[in-house]
Amino acid sequence: MPGLLEGKNIVVMGVANQRSIAWGIAKSLHNQGATLIFTNRQERSHKKLLKLLDENDMEAALTVSLDVASDESITAAFQEIKEKVGVIHGLVHAVAFANREELQGEYADTSREGFLLAQEISAFSLVAVTKAAKELMTEGGSIVTQTYLGSEKVVRNYNVMGVAKASLEASVRYLAEDVGKYGIRVNAISAGPIRTLSAKGVSGFNDINATIGEKAPLRRNVDQDQVGDATMFFLSDLSRGITGEVLHVDSGYHIIG
Ligand code: NDP
Ligand code: N5H
């Protein structure tokens, strides 16, 4: 049976290592026959990516450097993708950042600078890359970002990132309306806690992780592969009637009061 993503060129942002949600997504997309283009911020992550591709017998059509903090970097990256690949059909946005010291204690203590940084890297970045990507999505397309429950409910320590994710989810809706007329869809996956490099060292992760195992309807945590498959669905034509949506991949935890 042909893969669901055969003939689709998809850009994946945010592989830092084998634990990254973006890597779980890349594997699901590859399994469905997608042609993959990767972007990294840090050279260290780029090296890790090349090693992962090699170990998994996967090939990238292109790997490009992209720092979402810079408009020039975004423009240059998509220009290179346009020149070397041409049309794209999908974009996976799996990047976020907040200062570690602001992911604990009271949200009221958030600094102006820290608030703006979290918004810039974790929410505005989706707006900026959607604008760049839509120029290359001349055959229609699908854009998928990653969010977390802390946008809807107060989750201890998530603080400034919860507010950035609320902004990200609202951006999904506004962007979906903007680009729908070009046949481009924009959706988000709201994943349960997964032990990744970003989650490392942040206060409270272990407690939240343990709670899901006890309280979520499925009584187990989710993993990168489950998020990968749900993201793959959004990139495939199976989800052609869905846009502006936030889909929870969290063992059902969000329904529990
Ligand atoms: P990772 O640490 O594996 O990935 C985070 C990525 O963000 C890194 O690849 C990093 O790039 C990238 N990044 C940070 N700043 C920039 C920047 N300025 N420009 C470009 N890229 C940048 O963590 P996750 O896989 O956990 O995170 C992926 C997404 O999933 C995030 O949006 C996160 O909020 C979300 N999420 C995570 C959950 C979890 O429990 N882990 C739960 C729900 C959502 P580089 O490595 O090059 O620095
Ligand atoms: C309630 C929780 C636990 C507490 C909050 C965690 C928030 C994490 C999100 C951000 C993205 C983490 C972050 O920015 C860490 C950085 O300050 C330091 N790390 C780095 O610089 C590494 C090296 C790079 C690769 O990381 C990034 N981001 O560039 C939430 C958890 C239960 C769920 C969770 C972990 C959600 C989420 O959004 O990731």
Side-chain angles (χ1 to χ4, degrees):
M1 214 173 72
L4 292 166
L5 301 176
E6 220 69 61
K8 289 195 196 281
N9 298 330
I10 301 177
V11 178
V12 178
M13 307 172 64
V15 177
N17 61 25
Q18 73 286 353
R19 287 175 180 255
S20 293
I21 288 177
W23 180 247
I25 295 169
K27 285 187 293 174
S28 294
L29 305 184
H30 171 77
N31 288 342
Q32 294 299 329
T35 298
L36 300 176
I37 298 127
F38 292 90
T39 77
N40 296 106
R41 169 183 55 160
Q42 300 187 76
E43 186 47 36
R44 189 183 60 169
S45 305
H46 181 235
K47 288 217 176 85
K48 283 247 166 74
L49 168 71
L50 295 180
K51 194 161 169 261
L52 282 172
L53 289 169
D54 191 44
E55 287 168 358
N56 289 273
D57 270 327
M58 285 165 65
E59 238 178 83
L62 184 67
T63 63
V64 245
S65 148
L66 199 173
D67 181 347
V68 297
S70 152
D71 286 339
E72 292 72 34
S73 172
I74 295 171
T75 305
F78 281 89
Q79 184 58 36
E80 192 177 342
I81 295 169
K82 186 180 178 178
E83 280 163 16
K84 298 192 174 150
V85 179
V87 176
I88 62 169
H89 307 91
L91 174 71
V92 174
H93 173 276
V95 308
F97 191 90
N99 291 324
R100 181 163 292 164
E101 59 274 20
E102 294 185 310
L103 297 168
Q104 59 188 354
E106 294 191 10
Y107 173 60
D109 289 329
T110 304
S111 67
R112 184 185 300 269
E113 200 190 349
F115 182 94
L116 293 173
L117 178 67
Q119 288 283 340
E120 179 186 23
I121 306 303
S122 317
F124 175 72
S125 61
L126 180 71
V127 183
V129 297
T130 295
K131 184 173 179 176
K134 79 177 179 16
E135 301 306 322
L136 276 59
M137 290 182 167
T138 51
E139 298 171 1
S142 171
I143 297 171
V144 187
T145 187
Q146 302 297 320
T147 188
Y148 176 65
L149 185 67
S151 61
E152 305 168 50
K153 301 265 162 75
V154 173
V155 177
R156 184 163 302 138
N157 297 321
Y158 203 58
N159 296 0
V160 69
M161 186 54 70
V163 176
K165 292 298 193 190
S167 163
L168 178 74
E169 290 173 27
S171 293
V172 164
R173 294 184 281 272
Y174 278 90
L175 292 169
E177 160 55 18
D178 283 346
V179 299
K181 53 185 171 295
Y182 310 120
I184 303 170
R185 301 182 289 110
V186 187
N187 292 291
I189 298 288
S190 186
I194 299 178
R195 210 175 292 281
T196 62
L197 188 55
S198 277
K200 212 174 154 183
V202 294
S203 317
F205 178 87
N206 288 343
D207 292 347
I208 293 169
N209 208 44
T211 309
I212 307 290
E214 284 165 26
K215 296 203 174 143
L218 295 177
R219 307 289 195 281
R220 54 174 161 80
N221 280 285
V222 295
D223 62 21
Q224 292 85 340
D225 293 344
Q226 291 166 28
V227 175
D229 284 350
T231 303
M232 183 276 289
F233 162 73
F234 271 147
L235 287 157
S236 80
D237 290 343
L238 290 180
S239 60
R240 62 196 175 280
I242 308 174
T243 195
E245 187 66 282
V246 178
L247 177 65
H248 294 80
V249 180
D250 66 346
S251 298
Y253 182 71
H254 70 287
I255 67 168
I256 300 298

